[in-house]
């Protein structure tokens, strides 16, 4: 493990109050003996939009109390545009009043043992009124002047385009710089007759302004490649905070969305210093849309320089600035024209993003066709952030989670579970919801809402059921933040193959275009193959490859380009004992400078490589791993996915069944252990698992329905105390059907509360005779009684056929828990008694039917500045023609005894 892990862990403890806090009753009551402690970081946090920053002291306190009550551990303040009609309540960003409100927020959060992060800006990307055009996002402008025998060049050089930085004439293939011949905007150059081309390169500006800016945050987007611009930008915060930053934990930067920013005024001298030659010598190749080796090499050098400028002039200085205030940084590097691993590794909390929805073959899991984006969230994309966190030793790795998971008002908690599990499996351990909007109490339903989020807001019908999801995430994150990552392999990312692509210019590596820059690569295919077979791995960049410790082998996927320095590092690692497996040898070095000399040395090293100890060259990477004794986790053969962590002598396994089938069998773990504790993150139950010993491993009995997860704690030392045995559901008996009749009453919703009804069967409540039910969003409370002849089974499982969309259960007046995820089952034996039993099932449906009613009746509710409110396709939102969403319980309710 990198030493920085321990350093940052200590910083976190001292500066960010990583103290254990009071656990929610559902977590504390059930998990104290075996689960890691609950801290504010183990709970989910949420992005908290301040619309127009129209917040006040009472509203802040009430909101945080409300968020804390359902299990949030912190908020991330993101000031944005405001709601119409409330302009008089807007507070300018970083004004004394705004800073005062921020201080109130941090004090109230501390009272509740919650944390606060703050975006270093408003909206996105960074920018604002302190950024003049000189320091704004820049772009190159190229103008080609054609010269023929009978035509003369224009004397006047157009400077309205931008600052002229290069003027190069070509006669044939030879470039001739002529910028020094421009005086006062006029070209003074005597040249002979003949065909020639003249290229003019200008430093211009994108003139992009901050998107979704809050009052006081409007202005040009920052030039992230300019160190001077970054310092100017941060100085406004120094002034506003008077060098005394409020009690926030971390500063945050949203995904890099600086459109068309492919330049900075100092680019040419920086390029010469970093790449060793004058870029203007290749200005014709640089500007060409064609494909050739020279074009690709020049563009690769350009992209590498962009990456270094972004790292050196923005990410590093911003992080150092935050550290000067004893604060951390949290950054989304994706979408930037940089080396994602280097950028993520530089900050304290790397953050990835889930955008859109993923297909999971879980029976009954709803996924509407309208919710499908062009590219689904991909765990390999997430691993750029998590790998960087692992190799740099960062304890926390976060995710902006559930962005555009579904269309507004149609997201169920059950849809959130596999999506967040996919992030956990990729290495995320600090989830941020996208998200929650501050809304004054006087604003009627649905309150203030942000245009791109799943609405984790108190106005949501299922808000009181949210502790089900939040407690689940808290338990999982308590494990995934414990100890350290336990990955065996480190896989080299050949970024130069991407940079060598002759298409385009700056090449931002975004989550929306991974089908172009990631999916086709040998790297992606190799990583997918290794994951599928149960190998644990992280990614590594050229800059980190010789600084990464603790892995059993380094894998080099098939790569066309590799820097000479990287190959030398790999050879040195092998000579010092690291196992290195090349899928194939790289073919060439990238870039233009001193190409012949570098190629010659590179080829010599490749020729000698076959004789280097600890180096294997084979297309059969998995065969090589078996040959050197690096074992895969064969539990993936059953269809399970997993992530593994090490804590002292113990190993944690987080297992998920995202297949369509039930998995019930003994699965192997790659070690011999004396005992295995099984922990249910959904309910908090725990117990000793059944195990079998083999020559090479311990096998653990695991029974998971489709959609379920479990945590194993494989103990490396003998048990110091006794634990109860895990209760397996092995032998089901005849199920008891709860036929009703059911009393159904309605509460906590609108646009009006329907009358109570009596049901002989459970059907979609919107199909009942009362037409008001088709528009109602809120809760329906089902009650009935049933007779249990005798209580003699070891466990009883309540099964709900269909739930639209979540349910809170009480049996005999006792809270039995929230059923919010597939499968809709609940262990209820401890609540039952022989004879008569009473059951109450409170079901929350979606907000959608209420919103549909409001739009059908032209009731205004979406009145915001800027983008206002749009649908998942970024068109004006209108729910008037939506289909009525299914609501309530449907099918059967049964209780099954297990012997």
């Amino acid at each position: 493990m990198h030493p920085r892990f321990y350093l940052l862990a200590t910083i976190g403890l001292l500066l960010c109050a990583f103290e254990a806090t009071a656990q929610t009753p559902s977590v504390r009551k059930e998990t104290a003996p075996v689960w890691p402690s609950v801290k504010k970081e183990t709970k989910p946090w949420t992005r908290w939009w301040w619309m127009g920053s129209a917040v006040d002291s009472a509203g802040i306190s009430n909101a945080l109390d409300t968020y804390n009550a359902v299990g949030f551990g912190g908020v991330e303040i993101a000031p944005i545009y405001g709601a119409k009609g409330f302009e008089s309540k807007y507070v300018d960003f970083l004004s004394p009043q705004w800073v005062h409100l921020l201080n109130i927020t941090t004090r109230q959060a501390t009272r509740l043992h919650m944390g606060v992060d703050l975006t270093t800006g408003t909206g996105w990307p960074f920018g604002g009124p302190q950024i003049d055009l000189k320091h704004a996002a820049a772009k190159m402008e190229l103008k080609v002047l054609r010269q023929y025998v009978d035509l003369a060049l224009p004397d006047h050089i157009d400077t309205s385009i931008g600052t002229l930085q290069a003027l190069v004439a070509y006669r044939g293939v030879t470039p001739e710089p002529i910028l020094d011949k421009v005086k006062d905007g006029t070209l003074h150059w005597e040249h002979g007759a003949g065909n020639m081309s003249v290229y003019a390169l200008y430093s211009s500006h994108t003139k992009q302004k901050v998107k979704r800016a809050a009052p006081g945050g409007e202005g040009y987007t920052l030039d992230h490649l300019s160190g001077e611009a970054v310092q100017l930008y941060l100085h406004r915060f120094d002034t506003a905070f008077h060098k005394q930053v409020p009690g926030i934990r971390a500063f945050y930067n949203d995904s890099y969305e600086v459109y068309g920013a492919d330049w900075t005024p100092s680019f040419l001298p920086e390029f010469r210093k970093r790449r060793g030659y004058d870029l203007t010598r290749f200005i014709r190749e640089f500007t060409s849309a064609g494909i050739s080796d020279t074009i690709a090499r020049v563009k690769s050098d350009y992209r590498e320089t962009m990456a270094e400028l972004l790292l050196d002039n923005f990410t590093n200085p911003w992080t150092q600035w935050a550290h000067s205030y004893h604060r951390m940084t949290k950054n989304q590097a994706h979408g930037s024209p940089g080396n994602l691993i280097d950028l993520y590794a530089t900050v304290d909390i790397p953050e990835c993003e889930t955008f859109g929805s993923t297909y999971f073959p879980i029976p009954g899991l709803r996924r509407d066709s309208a919710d499908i984006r062009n590219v689904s969230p991909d765990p390999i994309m997430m691993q750029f952030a998590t790998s960087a966190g692992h190799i740099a030793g960062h304890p926390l790795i976060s995710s902006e989670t559930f962005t555009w998971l579904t269309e507004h008002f149609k997201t169920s908690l059950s849809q959130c579970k596999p999506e967040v599990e996919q992030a956990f499996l990729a290495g995320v351990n600090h989830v941020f919801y996208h998200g929650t909007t501050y809304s004054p109490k006087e604003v009627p339903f649905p309150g203030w809402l942000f245009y791109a989020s799943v609405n984790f807001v108190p106005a949501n019908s299922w808000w009181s059921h949210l502790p089900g999801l939040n407690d689940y995430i808290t338990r999982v994150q308590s494990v995934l933040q414990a100890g350290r990552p336990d990955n065996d392999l480190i896989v080299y990312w050949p970024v130069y193959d991407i940079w060598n692509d002759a298409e385009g210019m700056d090449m931002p590596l975004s989550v929306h275009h991974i089908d172009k820059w990631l999916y086709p690569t040998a790297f992606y295919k190799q990583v997918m193959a290794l994951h599928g077979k149960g190998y644990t791995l992280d990614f590594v960049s050229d800059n980190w490859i010789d600084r990464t410790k603790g892995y059993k082998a380094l894998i080099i996927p098939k790569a066309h380009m590799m820097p000479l320095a990287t190959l030398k590092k790999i050879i040195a690692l092998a000579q010092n004992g690291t196992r290195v497996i090349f899928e194939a040898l790289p073919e060439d070095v990238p870039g233009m400078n001193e190409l012949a000399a570098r190629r010659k040395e590179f080829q010599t090293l490749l020729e000698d490589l076959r004789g280097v100890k600890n180096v294997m060259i084979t297309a059969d990477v998995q065969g090589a791993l078996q040959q050197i004794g690096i074992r895969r986790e064969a539990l993936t053969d059953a269809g399970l996915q997993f992530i593994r962590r090490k804590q002292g002598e113990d190993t944690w396994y987080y297992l998920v069944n995202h297949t369509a089938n039930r998995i019930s069998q003994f699965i192997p773990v790659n070690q011999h252990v004396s005992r295995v504790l099984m922990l249910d993150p959904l309910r908090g139950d725990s117990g000793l698992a059944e195990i079998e010993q083999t020559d090479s491993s311990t096998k653990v009995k695991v029974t998971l329905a489709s959609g379920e997860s479990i945590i194993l704690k494989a103990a490396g030392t003998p048990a110091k105390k006794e634990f109860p045995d895990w209760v397996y559901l092995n032998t089901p008996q005849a199920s008891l059907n709860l036929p009703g009749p059911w009393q159904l009453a309605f509460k906590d919703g609108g646009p009006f509360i329907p009358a109570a009804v009596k049901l002989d069967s459970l059907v979609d409540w919107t199909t009942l005779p009362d037409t008001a039910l088709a528009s109602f969003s809120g809760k329906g409370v089902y009650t009935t009684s049933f007779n249990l002849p005798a209580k003699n089974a070891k466990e009883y499982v309540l099964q709900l056929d269909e739930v639209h969309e979540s349910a809170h259960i009480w049996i005999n007046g006792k809270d039995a828990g929230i059923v919010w995820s597939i499968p809709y089952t609940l262990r209820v034996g401890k609540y039952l008694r022989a004879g008569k039993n009473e059951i109450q099932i409170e079901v929350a449906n979606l907000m959608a039917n209420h919103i549909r009613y409001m739009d059908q009746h032209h009731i205004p509710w979406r009145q915001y500045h800027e983008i206002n409110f749009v649908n998942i396709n970024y068109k004006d939102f209108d729910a008037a023609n939506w289909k009525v969403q299914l609501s309530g319980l449907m099918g059967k309710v049964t209780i099954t005894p297990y012997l």
Side-chain angles (χ1 to χ4, degrees):
M1 176 54 61
H2 194 278
R4 193 176 177 188
F5 176 92
Y6 303 104
L7 174 62
L8 286 175
T10 303
I11 292 174
L13 286 166
L14 295 175
L15 304 179
C16 305
F18 277 16
E19 76 283 355
T21 63
Q23 302 176 27
T24 61
S26 61
V27 174
R28 180 180 62 243
K29 173 180 66 179
E30 300 168 343
T31 66
V34 292
W35 292 83
S37 62
V38 172
K39 303 171 287 189
K40 59 177 175 281
E41 284 78 14
T42 58
K43 298 178 182 180
W45 291 30
T46 187
R47 184 170 298 178
W48 193 21
W49 289 287
W50 282 11
M51 302 200 79
S53 295
V55 302
D56 58 42
S57 177
I60 289 169
S61 180
N62 290 335
L64 291 175
D65 283 336
T66 302
Y67 306 157
N68 179 67
V70 295
F72 282 112
V75 293
E76 173 193 279
I77 299 173
I80 55 165
Y81 58 89
K84 294 178 180 178
F86 289 83
E87 289 80 1
S88 63
K89 296 187 176 182
Y90 291 175
V91 180
D92 279 353
F93 179 62
L94 292 183
S95 66
Q97 175 64 10
W98 195 94
V99 174
H100 174 66
L101 291 167
L102 177 60
N103 278 308
I104 289 173
T105 302
T106 58
R107 288 197 297 269
Q108 292 298 323
T110 300
R111 171 179 63 87
L112 297 168
H113 303 288
M114 297 177 72
V116 178
D117 289 350
L118 174 67
T119 53
T120 320
T122 78
W124 65 89
F126 285 178
Q130 71 269 47
I131 298 300
D132 55 19
L133 201 55
K134 176 184 176 183
H135 299 96
K139 66 176 181 178
M140 72 177 85
E141 289 280 1
L142 290 148
K143 191 171 182 180
V144 182
L145 309 176
R146 298 276 177 197
Q147 166 69 22
Y148 297 97
V149 175
D150 298 327
L151 298 176
L153 281 169
D155 292 332
H156 180 69
I157 301 298
D158 186 1
T159 56
S160 65
I161 299 173
T163 303
L164 182 65
Q165 292 199 314
L167 195 65
V168 180
Y170 280 84
R171 287 186 177 91
V173 298
T174 304
E176 180 183 352
I178 56 173
L179 181 62
D180 60 341
K181 296 176 174 57
V182 177
K183 306 294 184 184
D184 300 323
T186 302
L187 177 63
H188 303 275
W189 181 43
E190 294 183 5
H191 55 85
N195 295 339
M196 73 173 65
S197 301
V198 176
Y199 290 77
L201 186 152
Y202 298 85
S203 176
S204 185
H205 299 94
T206 69
K207 297 187 178 178
Q208 178 188 348
K209 295 190 175 181
V210 178
K211 293 175 64 176
R212 324 305 181 220
E218 305 93 337
Y220 287 120
T221 295
L222 167 71
D223 178 1
H224 290 68
L225 307 182
S226 165
E228 179 181 303
V230 170
Q231 293 305 318
L232 173 66
Y233 179 75
L234 294 174
H235 180 68
R236 186 186 182 202
F237 293 85
D238 295 333
T239 302
F241 294 145
H242 300 291
K243 301 290 185 178
Q244 298 293 323
V245 174
I248 63 168
R249 180 192 68 157
F251 289 105
Y252 165 69
N253 179 38
D254 205 341
S255 54
Y256 186 96
E257 297 183 41
V258 189
Y259 305 125
D262 55 13
W263 200 252
T264 191
S266 63
F267 194 91
L268 288 175
E270 287 286 355
F271 186 95
R272 180 189 286 273
K273 179 176 70 175
R274 295 166 185 269
R275 303 283 80 81
Y277 66 95
D278 183 356
L279 178 60
T280 62
R281 287 173 44 213
F282 295 92
I283 192 169
R284 183 164 62 181
E285 291 80 2
F286 182 52
T287 60
S288 173
I291 298 176
S292 72
D293 185 62
T294 298
I295 291 170
R297 289 180 178 281
V298 173
K299 288 187 176 180
S300 177
D301 282 340
Y302 160 73
R303 290 162 183 153
E304 184 177 8
T305 305
M306 287 274 287
E308 291 176 354
L309 291 175
L310 182 60
L311 179 66
D312 295 344
N313 290 346
F314 171 70
T315 309
N316 264 321
W318 173 61
T319 300
Q320 291 164 4
W321 172 82
H323 288 178
S324 73
Y325 287 113
H326 306 296
R327 300 297 185 265
M328 295 195 293
T329 50
K330 182 160 63 73
N331 183 45
Q332 293 184 5
H334 52 271
S336 67
N339 187 313
L340 300 185
I341 294 175
D342 292 347
L343 294 170
Y344 280 130
T346 298
V347 299
D348 302 303
I349 306 176
E351 179 164 292
C352 56
E353 175 180 1
T354 71
F355 190 100
S357 66
T358 304
Y359 168 72
F360 298 98
I362 300 170
L365 182 65
R366 178 167 51 82
R367 188 176 188 237
D368 301 332
S369 59
D371 300 335
I372 300 171
R373 310 295 302 192
N374 64 319
V375 178
S376 299
D378 191 295
I380 305 303
M381 180 66 201
M382 298 178 207
Q383 268 201 271
F384 284 95
T386 63
S387 295
H390 293 165
I391 64 176
H394 301 305
L396 298 176
I397 302 162
S398 64
S399 170
E400 174 193 309
T401 315
F402 310 131
T403 306
W404 282 125
L405 176 59
T406 73
E407 180 58 273
H408 285 291
F409 314 116
K410 292 184 178 180
T411 306
S412 66
L413 298 177
S414 64
Q415 291 169 306
C416 296
K417 184 172 182 280
E419 209 71 62
V420 73
E421 287 172 339
Q422 184 169 248
F424 289 149
L425 292 167
V428 169
N429 64 2
H430 189 32
V431 164
F432 282 73
Y433 290 173
H434 191 273
T436 305
T437 313
Y438 174 99
S439 186
K441 284 191 173 182
E442 64 268 23
V443 177
F445 178 88
W448 288 351
L449 299 173
F450 182 65
Y451 76 90
S453 80
V454 172
N455 302 299
F456 290 94
V457 293
N460 202 309
S461 313
W462 43 246
W463 177 261
S464 66
H465 296 175
L466 187 55
L469 173 62
N470 285 353
D471 281 358
Y472 174 75
I473 289 175
T474 298
R475 294 186 185 102
V476 174
Q477 291 191 158
S478 73
V479 169
L480 297 185
Q481 292 177 21
R484 57 178 176 79
D486 188 26
N487 294 334
D488 293 330
L489 309 177
I490 194 77
V491 182
Y492 170 68
W493 179 41
V495 69
Y496 288 89
D497 280 4
I498 300 170
W499 284 343
N500 206 62
D501 188 333
E503 294 185 11
M505 292 302 295
D506 57 325
M507 191 174 286
L509 303 179
S510 75
V511 298
H512 307 297
H513 300 100
I514 55 177
D515 53 334
K516 295 180 180 179
W517 66 265
L518 180 59
Y519 287 173
T521 64
F523 166 83
Y524 183 83
K525 294 177 175 65
Q526 185 62 250
V527 167
M528 288 290 289
L530 291 168
H531 271 310
K533 285 297 183 180
Y535 289 99
T536 57
L537 58 88
D538 285 314
F539 311 157
V540 70
S541 68
D542 298 84
N543 286 335
W544 280 88
I545 200 166
D546 59 339
R547 293 188 275 169
T548 302
K549 311 298 181 184
Y551 295 89
K552 296 179 180 178
L554 169 63
I555 308 299
I556 311 296
K558 185 177 181 181
H560 176 58
M561 294 289 182
M562 179 181 286
L564 179 62
T566 300
L567 183 58
K568 289 180 177 179
K569 291 176 184 178
I570 293 170
I571 292 172
L573 287 170
Q575 290 171 336
N576 289 323
T578 299
R579 299 278 195 167
V580 180
I581 302 173
F582 284 85
E583 181 183 1
L585 290 180
E587 301 169 15
D588 206 346
V589 292
M592 281 296 299
N593 193 39
E594 299 179 348
L595 180 57
R598 288 188 295 119
R599 270 179 168 164
K600 182 178 179 180
E601 186 176 359
F602 190 77
Q603 291 302 319
T604 299
L605 289 175
L606 289 181
E607 291 169 6
D608 296 340
L609 190 63
R610 297 182 187 277
V612 176
K613 186 179 179 181
N614 294 319
V615 171
M616 303 176 72
I617 305 165
T618 174
D620 184 8
V621 172
Q622 293 183 33
L625 290 170
Q626 293 175 16
Q627 183 178 336
I628 62 177
I630 298 178
R631 298 169 59 192
R632 68 190 186 94
E633 291 281 4
L635 58 86
T636 56
D637 294 345
L640 293 170
Q641 297 179 69
F642 76 102
I643 191 168
R644 197 177 66 196
R645 291 184 73 86
K646 196 77 173 175
Q647 186 178 27
E649 297 297 318
D650 299 334
T651 304
W652 293 97
Y653 288 82
Y654 172 61
L655 308 178
V656 178
N657 180 11
H658 282 168
T659 73
N661 304 310
R662 181 181 181 84
I663 296 174
S664 183
Q665 63 189 74
F666 279 88
I667 63 164
V669 295
N670 274 2
Q671 53 190 310
H672 279 114
V673 294
S674 60
R675 62 182 172 90
V676 176
L677 277 169
M678 188 168 285
L679 299 88
D680 177 13
L682 192 64
R683 304 293 172 200
D685 299 328
S686 61
L688 286 171
E690 292 184 26
I691 61 175
E692 294 178 348
Q693 302 292 356
T694 70
D695 291 340
S696 59
S697 67
T698 298
K699 289 188 173 183
V700 186
K701 184 176 181 180
V702 170
T703 300
L704 290 176
S706 176
E708 288 186 330
S709 61
I710 202 74
I711 290 170
L712 307 180
K713 186 178 184 181
T717 56
K720 294 182 179 180
K721 61 175 292 186
E722 292 298 322
F723 292 95
D725 289 337
W726 178 257
V727 179
Y728 289 92
L729 302 177
N730 292 326
T731 311
Q733 304 300 295
S735 296
L736 172 66
N737 183 35
L738 278 57
W742 295 85
Q743 299 294 325
L744 174 57
F746 299 93
K747 66 174 187 176
D748 300 341
F752 19 70
I753 304 296
V757 294
K758 182 179 179 180
L759 301 175
D760 292 323
S761 61
L762 297 174
V763 297
D764 172 9
W765 76 45
T766 69
T767 65
L768 297 174
D770 186 351
T771 57
L773 285 164
S775 302
F776 175 73
S777 293
K779 297 187 180 72
V781 181
Y782 298 78
T783 57
T784 194
S785 61
F786 61 93
N787 185 64
L788 185 66
K791 188 179 177 185
N792 51 20
K794 69 177 181 181
E795 186 57 277
Y796 294 81
V797 175
L798 176 72
Q799 169 77 55
L800 309 177
D801 273 4
E802 288 189 54
V803 183
H804 300 282
E805 296 290 338
S806 56
H808 196 162
I809 316 295
W810 287 264
I811 296 176
N812 297 322
K814 296 180 179 178
D815 187 345
I818 300 170
V819 176
W820 58 274
S821 63
I822 295 173
Y824 298 118
T825 59
L826 187 65
R827 297 189 182 202
V828 295
K830 58 187 172 183
Y831 306 107
L832 297 175
R833 59 193 176 209
K836 185 179 180 181
N837 290 264
E838 305 284 344
I839 186 169
Q840 176 178 300
I841 305 176
E842 175 193 87
V843 177
N845 69 342
L846 300 173
M847 299 173 73
N849 291 345
H850 191 168
I851 296 294
R852 174 179 176 271
Y853 172 89
M854 294 180 74
D855 281 355
Q856 286 177 335
H857 291 80
H858 307 291
I859 299 172
W861 62 270
R862 50 186 184 278
Q863 300 183 73
Y864 307 105
H865 291 290
E866 236 263 18
I867 195 173
N868 196 7
F869 200 84
V870 295
N871 65 18
I872 199 168
N873 296 312
Y874 287 79
K875 307 295 183 184
D876 289 341
F877 184 93
D878 186 356
N881 295 318
W882 280 4
K883 293 180 180 179
V884 175
Q885 300 295 303
L886 299 176
S887 301
L889 293 179
M890 297 171 61
K892 295 180 180 180
V893 176
T894 60
I895 294 178
T896 302
Y898 285 83
L899 297 182

